Amino acid sequence: MNSKLVLPVKDQLHLATNSVPVMTWVSGIDKLCFFFNKSWLEFTGRTLEQECGEGWTKGIHPDDQKKWKEAYSDSFNSCNPFQIKYRLKRHDGEYKWLINNAVPHYDDHGHFAGYIGSCIDINEIAEEENLRDEFINSAGNELKIPVTTIKVYAQLLEDFFARAGEEKHLIFLKKINKQVVKLTRLINNLGEINKIYYFGVELNKTSFDFNILLLEEISRVQSEFPKHNIQLNGYISHNVYGDRERLAQAFNNLLDNAIKFSPDADKIVISIEENSDSFTVSVLDYGIGISNKEKDKIFTRFYKGNENTANTFPGIGLGLYISSQIIKYHGGEIQAENVISGSKLSFKLPYDNRT
């Protein structure tokens, strides 16, 4: 009778991972890597002994080191899957873009034991993305000068006609200024989207009254869109420690989104709920609503909705993505949900996430 050789589970894992073209690695609970498959070692041109522990991190591009370390450390705190892009030095000395997907693995007792990761070479795609991003940055910078000039002269003309009592011409200039403000916001979003995507959100935190922030931004939007009645329900009883300007931007984007997608409605409701260490701000509109498929997509970069929505409500899909990142870097959460008529976007923030 012929007998078959059965390999131990660990050896089976090594055999399987060495047989696939994808670069794979495994780390322990101490955050140190103890296994790299054949594809990885062929890519780097280094031995397993050289790569193990933290040896492999020497190959990460200097500009990507901080981003990798933060994502890696944060994942160990949450035990959640993560994905990150970075450049790794190839055996010929060139850096190539990889996308690294990692999932937690567990021991026989169900205890967290580290991560298993897989890397795919996306250098060609990444180079195309870089060219696109460079174009966006250049276009945004070039547009700032003429738009600023238009804004200055339009404001001067508006002041002139206001003093002269020319109401007819004043109405036209107010419309021009309103569009210039929208265009300025768009250019600013384009200018910072790459920084946020690759390097995160830079925050300048102070302690401030969030109620005043809400009232100021509601007043601004109300003056731009007098058709909508914006109601504020609730009050935040504690000061908030965060970046006031960034949080105003995040709230503005949610409010502008509510206005944009409720053209036939006349009411927006802002509600506040408090917990012991956090608060939630909700923006409720009575517009077209959000489908279940879109709820998790609307906060992704450049997402503009389905074909019908994108054609009816044009945009480039940056506002809600920027808001989600601002809230994330404040230690908060953001979500979208359907209501009976319309949609509700909410963000939850800690009063102070320093601890």
Side-chain angles (χ1 to χ4, degrees):
M1 179 179 294
N2 294 328
S3 61
K4 294 183 179 179
L5 176 63
V6 179
L7 295 174
V9 174
K10 184 177 180 180
D11 291 337
Q12 291 182 41
L13 174 63
H14 285 197
L15 179 62
T17 55
N18 276 324
S19 301
V20 296
V22 177
M23 300 163 58
T24 61
W25 55 268
V26 183
S27 71
I29 196 171
D30 57 1
K31 300 184 181 180
L32 301 178
C33 293
F34 60 84
F35 174 77
F36 295 89
N37 73 341
K38 182 179 178 182
S39 295
W40 179 288
L41 300 177
E42 288 178 346
F43 180 91
T44 62
R46 288 160 56 89
T47 66
L48 180 60
E49 290 73 21
Q50 288 174 315
E51 297 289 75
C52 279
E54 293 184 334
W56 75 274
T57 61
K58 296 176 181 178
I60 299 177
H61 193 285
D63 292 344
D64 301 333
Q65 288 275 357
K66 181 180 177 182
K67 177 174 64 173
W68 162 261
K69 288 179 180 178
E70 288 178 350
Y72 193 57
S73 296
D74 289 346
S75 68
F76 270 84
N77 296 330
S78 64
C79 297
N80 289 325
F82 71 93
Q83 181 186 89
I84 187 171
K85 293 193 298 183
Y86 59 87
R87 286 161 289 183
L88 187 69
K89 185 184 290 186
R90 199 170 59 181
H91 57 81
D92 57 2
E94 289 192 26
Y95 286 97
K96 297 296 180 181
W97 281 100
L98 306 177
I99 186 164
N100 190 331
N101 289 283
V103 295
H105 67 95
Y106 299 86
D107 61 23
D108 294 338
H109 302 288
H111 299 140
F112 173 69
Y115 276 86
I116 298 177
S118 62
C119 300
I120 299 175
D121 187 337
I122 57 164
N123 197 68
E124 185 175 343
I125 298 173
E127 287 180 348
E128 291 179 358
E129 284 187 350
N130 288 337
L131 288 174
R132 180 196 64 192
D133 293 342
E134 287 176 9
F135 170 77
I136 291 174
N137 281 334
S138 298
N141 290 330
E142 291 295 325
L143 286 169
K144 283 183 180 180
I145 296 175
V147 169
T148 301
T149 303
I150 293 170
K151 184 177 181 179
V152 169
Y153 281 108
Q155 187 63 57
L156 289 173
L157 286 172
E158 185 176 334
D159 294 341
F160 173 80
F161 286 119
R163 290 194 301 270
E166 296 282 350
E167 292 295 329
K168 179 179 178 181
H169 297 94
L170 194 59
I171 291 173
F172 295 145
L173 284 166
K174 286 183 180 295
K175 290 182 177 180
I176 291 174
N177 274 325
K178 185 176 179 180
Q179 296 304 315
V180 170
V181 169
K182 287 184 178 179
L183 186 55
T184 301
R185 283 188 208 147
L186 174 60
I187 292 171
N188 290 337
N189 284 344
L190 286 171
E192 69 177 355
I193 189 65
N194 292 333
K195 293 180 182 178
I196 292 176
Y197 184 67
Y198 290 109
F199 306 108
V201 182
E202 292 185 8
L203 301 178
N204 181 22
K205 294 184 178 182
T206 59
S207 180
F208 66 95
D209 188 336
F210 208 94
N211 300 287
I212 296 176
L213 180 154
L214 293 175
L215 291 171
E216 288 177 352
E217 301 309 320
I218 289 172
S219 176
R220 180 193 63 77
V221 175
Q222 186 73 83
S223 65
E224 292 183 24
F225 302 94
K227 172 187 170 183
H228 287 78
N229 177 28
I230 305 175
Q231 300 178 8
L232 175 60
N233 300 325
Y235 183 81
I236 301 171
S237 58
H238 303 279
N239 270 11
V240 174
Y241 185 76
D243 189 319
R244 192 184 193 282
E245 183 177 347
R246 283 296 194 180
L247 290 172
Q249 181 184 11
F251 175 65
N252 264 323
N253 287 340
L254 267 61
L255 199 50
D256 287 345
N257 185 81
I259 297 286
K260 177 179 179 180
F261 289 100
S262 58
D264 299 323
D266 60 2
K267 185 168 68 173
I268 303 292
V269 179
I270 314 299
S271 299
I272 297 169
E273 295 182 10
E274 286 194 295
N275 294 313
S276 60
D277 58 355
S278 64
F279 66 98
T280 300
V281 177
S282 300
V283 180
L284 172 67
D285 68 62
Y286 297 87
I288 64 172
I290 305 171
S291 69
N292 289 327
K293 293 181 179 179
E294 290 181 294
K295 285 194 297 184
D296 296 328
K297 296 179 180 179
I298 63 172
F299 298 112
T300 57
R301 192 172 67 144
F302 298 120
Y303 184 73
K304 299 187 292 184
N306 58 50
E307 184 176 347
N308 294 330
T309 303
N311 291 333
T312 307
F313 303 95
I316 59 175
L318 291 181
L320 293 183
Y321 168 76
I322 291 174
S323 290
S324 71
Q325 296 303 299
I326 292 172
I327 298 301
K328 171 187 172 184
Y329 277 84
H330 278 86
E333 301 172 357
I334 193 167
Q335 67 174 7
E337 58 183 295
N338 289 317
V339 294
I340 296 176
S341 177
S343 60
K344 182 167 73 171
L345 304 184
S346 306
F347 61 83
K348 181 180 179 181
L349 284 174
Y351 295 115
D352 187 340
N353 72 334
R354 282 179 290 188
T355 56

